Amino acid sequence: MGHCRIYCLGKWHLLYYLFSFWPLVSGQIRYSIPEELQLGSFVGNIAEDLGLDARELSARKFRIVPGIGKTYLDVNLDNGILSVKERIDREQLCGSSLTCLLPMEAVVENPLNVYRVEVEVLDINDNAPSFPKNQFHLEISELASPGARFPLECAHDSDVGSNSLQSYRLVGNQYFTLDIETRSGDEKLPVLTLERALDREKEPTHKLQLIAKDGGIPPKSNAAEILIAVQDVNDNSPVFSQSVYRVSLHENVPKGTLVIKLNATDLDDGSNGEIEYSFTSHTSASVRELFDLHSKTGEITVKGNLDNELNRAFEINVQATDKGSAPLPVYCRVHVDITDENDNSPEVTVTSLFSPVSEDSPPGTVIALISTTDKDSGENGEIDCQISNDLPFKLESPLTNYYKLLTVGQLDRESIPKYDVTVLCTDSGSPPLTSKKIVQVEISDVNDNGPRFSQSSYTAYVTENNVIGASIITVTASDPDMNQNGKLSYSIHGDQIHGVSVASYVYINSDNGMVFSQRSFDYEELKSFQFQVQARDSGVPSLTGNVSVEVVILDQNDNAPVILHPLPERGSTVMETMSRSAEPGYLVTKVSAMDADSGQNARLSYQIGQATDPGLFTISPDTGEVWIIRGLVQKDATKQKLIIVVKDNGTPSLSASMTISLSVIDGDAQLLSDGSGFLDDAAFKSALSFYLVIFLGAISSIFLLILIVLAVKVHKSRRGFDVYSCYGDVCCCYRPRRSFNGIQKASRNIQIPPNYVEVFGGDPLSQSFRYGTNSTLGCTKRDSRFPDTCSSSAMAYKGGGGPNEKYDYLHSQAPANDRNTVNTEVKQPNA
């Protein structure tokens, strides 16, 4: 055996067939090797034969994909040598076929190519001919005539070609010779021929030797012994109508299906004419497993599963013998062809898969290489593969039974992160069979989406005096990309606020978008401000998104009311005077205050906190006007003390207070109160000062005359507009009153806007004038001897211009911190 292998090894040869070039499958090579080579034996340098660089085999993932069954060959990726990996038995692989091929594919990547490789396994003479048994027993009647033929069972040699069975030789006596009968497929059937008549009485048995020899070098042979017993008188043997029968059957026919009914005849009578059918001893085990022969009827039926893919034809050897004392067998052959049925679905294999695929891959990118096979033959084995048309992929077939899966459109991971591509492969049989293979294609992400905020803009409301570092608002952005491409960081951008960088007002957590205050806000200084928040992803290159954030400062009641009028000139108590003859409703004084807050926090109310005689005075909670509610009697004290409390409407409420000391004067002489602002010298407060009365009366008359002239002049020139007169930045404003007694009583019915109070003088002379103050306007100092007019103010005209016409007070903003200014409005009583 070893010498034969060495001899055959010397006959190796390499055949290289170059086929037409396809995009992936470049060609085909064929090697020829003898069977039974030792493991590791050299087959060929496949890298050199394919024109590949052996040093790149590992990097390009070179591999051998077997066509069917086990992997018998292996490739050394260091040098490209193809060698034997498993024991190769040609007879086991290919049986009696003259040509034995091992199909396989060589796959290499970067770029992807597939090469068809065929290895032809050559037969060596490793099997000697063998008979089904060592001894053959024949019973021949002594009446057998010379020339009678007795077929013998054939020897079998698993080798093919010249190594198969070639000849028989008979070693025996003068009664028999050997004749060789050739049948289909070059099968040689030994036939024993009777040369001389037998005489049982002289020689009852004969012993012969049959030798079978193959054509190998050196040849192999085997022998079987033939024992012949000479029987008496049954001189007619059964006869078949033909020596060879041909039958066709479809594969997968049910068990019990009738194949053929044989009929042999025997001219003898009785038991010599009764025929029995049986398989010859040379019938293979596979035939016995698949077919059954009825011994009396000669019916051959199916008892196993017939498969065209395993065996396309069977040859059944049948003998018929009678029941005579010396039965004479007769032989026939039944050739059964198995026709193919479409009983095998296509097999789909993903040879190579490149996944994940970048979402920016161009059309035409190769995703996978797919191969298909079908065990059926003819049209039943022709395969066509398709995929759904609504996918961004397509199939191309560069070679029969090979397909490429390619991209045909743009991929978007954010829309579809993964595709399950179902490849449907259908054969051409009737009915057609279909197989499917699901190819999972994952899409990898690229940074093609910028951050997007959940709102187009954000507004945060923060109460003033907030805690530094407290959270103001959280902005949220999202990015449909994944991993680093979707990881966001936040930052603040914006112009300066009042000359200070926005970063000194707020800062942002870069991870979660939470905005915090950097300072405590003051509503009175800053009502609102804006800045930009930018969200940036971590992709390369990074993408950004911006959103505007407005912070609105909400007012808090953090400013107490400030009393503007009257103000004490010395000490902490305001000094006022009043006549003991004052009637109920007499206006003692008017308290004016302001509050730097806004809204309800700046809405003020006045009340008397403490009084010497609580039943003597009352105060308007809205205007701060203090009146007498009853006439004074002699027993009332000449010194009255009032504590006025001013409260805002905030929560909690804040307040301010002042103390007014009232001096009650007997007689008709009346002086302006110290809180009215007309007197500067303490000497003028004396009730006995006659000069003060004369001076004030003269001044009041002149001033009233000027006001009347100005009012008439303005009324004529600007009918329908507000009545006012301006001198530089100072304007005088007039409002006609509806009654003469309105100085004491009408003020209770006037609706005064927030932060606006009216101040009346404390004596009859001062009651001819009326003054208005507003906490938000810049006005003249209270230390003036005469009422100054408000700056930058106007009168909104309301009415028809008659004697009862009315003007509403309008004002413009003045600095809030000018807390010692008074805006005065002079109102003229109706004449």
Side-chain angles (χ1 to χ4, degrees), residues 476-695:
T476 305
S478 61
D479 193 321
D481 293 323
M482 64 185 299
N483 298 330
Q484 291 299 317
N485 295 332
K487 184 178 180 181
L488 302 182
S489 61
Y490 300 87
S491 60
I492 288 179
H493 301 269
D495 298 331
Q496 292 185 341
I497 303 174
H498 291 177
V500 181
S501 172
V502 68
S504 66
Y505 284 82
V506 292
Y507 74 93
I508 191 169
N509 187 314
S510 60
D511 295 327
N512 57 25
M514 185 174 290
V515 181
F516 301 90
S517 63
Q518 287 278 63
R519 61 170 61 185
S520 181
F521 301 121
D522 187 351
Y523 174 83
E524 288 69 39
E525 294 181 0
L526 182 66
K527 300 296 189 295
S528 65
F529 62 92
Q530 287 187 343
F531 58 89
Q532 295 285 323
V533 174
Q534 183 180 87
R536 181 182 296 272
D537 61 30
S538 301
V540 179
S542 63
L543 301 176
T544 61
N546 297 286
V547 71
S548 175
V549 179
E550 180 181 12
V551 178
V552 178
I553 312 301
L554 301 178
D555 183 43
Q556 192 178 46
N557 193 25
D558 57 345
N559 291 282
V562 176
I563 297 176
L564 301 178
H565 179 82
L567 293 177
E569 296 182 359
R570 293 179 181 85
S572 59
T573 303
V574 175
M575 307 300 295
E576 297 282 357
T577 61
M578 61 175 290
S579 174
R580 186 178 293 276
S581 62
E583 297 179 356
Y586 175 82
L587 179 62
V588 178
T589 187
K590 180 174 182 177
V591 179
S592 298
M594 67 163 289
D595 195 315
D597 294 320
S598 64
Q600 291 295 320
N601 296 330
R603 183 178 177 184
L604 303 180
S605 62
Y606 301 84
Q607 64 186 45
I608 298 175
Q610 184 178 346
T612 303
D613 186 351
L616 183 57
F617 301 98
T618 186
I619 190 170
S620 171
D622 297 324
T623 64
E625 296 171 338
V626 180
W627 298 288
I628 296 176
I629 58 177
R630 67 174 175 80
L632 279 78
V633 295
Q634 198 65 30
K635 65 178 182 178
D636 290 328
T638 59
K639 292 290 186 179
Q640 297 288 333
K641 181 181 179 182
L642 297 177
I643 297 178
I644 306 301
V645 178
V646 183
K647 292 185 178 181
D648 60 27
N649 201 34
T651 303
S653 177
L654 300 178
S655 64
S657 64
M658 66 175 297
T659 302
I660 300 176
S661 178
L662 290 173
S663 297
V664 181
I665 301 173
D666 295 328
D668 296 333
Q670 298 181 0
L671 298 175
L672 291 172
S673 69
D674 183 63
S676 64
F678 292 109
L679 299 180
D680 188 50
D681 191 356
F684 291 141
K685 297 177 182 178
S686 175
L688 302 177
S689 179
F690 177 73
Y691 298 102
L692 178 62
V693 175
I694 297 175
F695 177 75

Side-chain angles (χ1 to χ4, degrees), residues 28-58:
Q28 173 176 313
I29 59 174
R30 174 182 287 188
Y31 295 96
S32 295
I33 61 173
E35 62 175 329
E36 302 291 347
L37 279 178
Q38 293 183 355
L39 301 185
S41 295
F42 175 86
V43 176
N45 192 326
I46 191 170
E48 180 180 341
D49 296 333
L50 293 177
L52 302 176
D53 189 347
R55 295 171 294 180
E56 298 179 353
L57 295 181
S58 296

Side-chain angles (χ1 to χ4, degrees), residues 68 192 224 236 268 279 298 300 308 321 338 379 487 543 566 602 621 627 643 706 733:
I68 55 173
L192 197 62
N236 287 291
D268 293 326
F279 294 120
I300 299 178
N308 173 268
T321 58
I338 307 301
E379 290 186 353
K487 184 178 180 181
L543 301 176
W627 298 288
I643 297 178
I706 293 173
C733 310

Side-chain angles (χ1 to χ4, degrees), residues 246-309:
R246 291 190 175 275
V247 180
S248 293
L249 281 179
H250 292 289
E251 64 176 336
N252 301 325
V253 294
K255 296 178 181 179
T257 300
L258 177 65
V259 178
I260 192 173
K261 182 177 181 180
L262 300 176
N263 185 22
T265 59
D266 192 323
L267 298 178
D268 293 326
D269 294 329
S271 61
N272 292 330
E274 293 182 7
I275 301 174
E276 284 189 345
Y277 301 91
S278 62
F279 294 120
T280 65
S281 59
H282 192 59
T283 302
S284 65
S286 61
V287 171
R288 296 176 184 270
E289 292 175 357
L290 297 175
F291 299 97
D292 188 29
L293 176 61
H294 197 282
S295 61
K296 292 184 178 180
T297 63
E299 292 180 346
I300 299 178
T301 56
V302 177
K303 73 172 184 178
N305 296 320
L306 302 181
D307 191 345
N308 173 268
E309 288 70 44

Side-chain angles (χ1 to χ4, degrees), residues 346 374 376-384 401 426-429:
D374 196 319
D376 294 322
S377 58
E379 290 186 353
N380 296 331
E382 295 178 0
I383 303 172
D384 178 63
N401 294 338
T426 305
D427 59 29
S428 300

Side-chain angles (χ1 to χ4, degrees), residues 565 587 590-592 623 625 672 675-678 696 699-700 703 707 733 737 743 747 752 756-762 765-774 780 784-790 809 822-828:
H565 179 82
L587 179 62
K590 180 174 182 177
V591 179
S592 298
T623 64
E625 296 171 338
L672 291 172
S676 64
F678 292 109
L696 289 178
I699 294 300
S700 299
F703 191 64
L707 291 179
C733 310
R737 300 193 59 85
I743 296 177
S747 297
I752 301 176
Y756 179 86
V757 296
E758 293 183 333
V759 179
F760 292 89
L765 181 61
S766 66
Q767 290 176 6
S768 61
F769 302 96
R770 188 176 185 183
Y771 310 100
T773 66
N774 189 296
T780 59
S784 303
R785 294 187 178 274
F786 297 99
D788 291 338
T789 56
C790 63
Y809 174 75
V822 177
N823 177 29
T824 62
E825 176 190 359
V826 179
K827 298 190 177 181
Q828 179 182 4

Side-chain angles (χ1 to χ4, degrees), residues 357-359 361-367 387-395 405-413 415-421 441 443:
V357 181
S358 177
E359 63 178 322
S361 297
T365 301
V366 178
I367 306 300
I387 63 173
S388 177
N389 293 328
D390 57 355
L391 296 176
F393 305 102
K394 69 175 181 178
L395 284 178
L405 181 62
L406 308 171
T407 60
V408 294
Q410 290 298 122
L411 305 176
D412 187 2
R413 188 204 65 81
S415 298
I416 304 178
K418 183 178 72 173
Y419 291 89
D420 288 333
V421 182
V441 181
I443 310 301

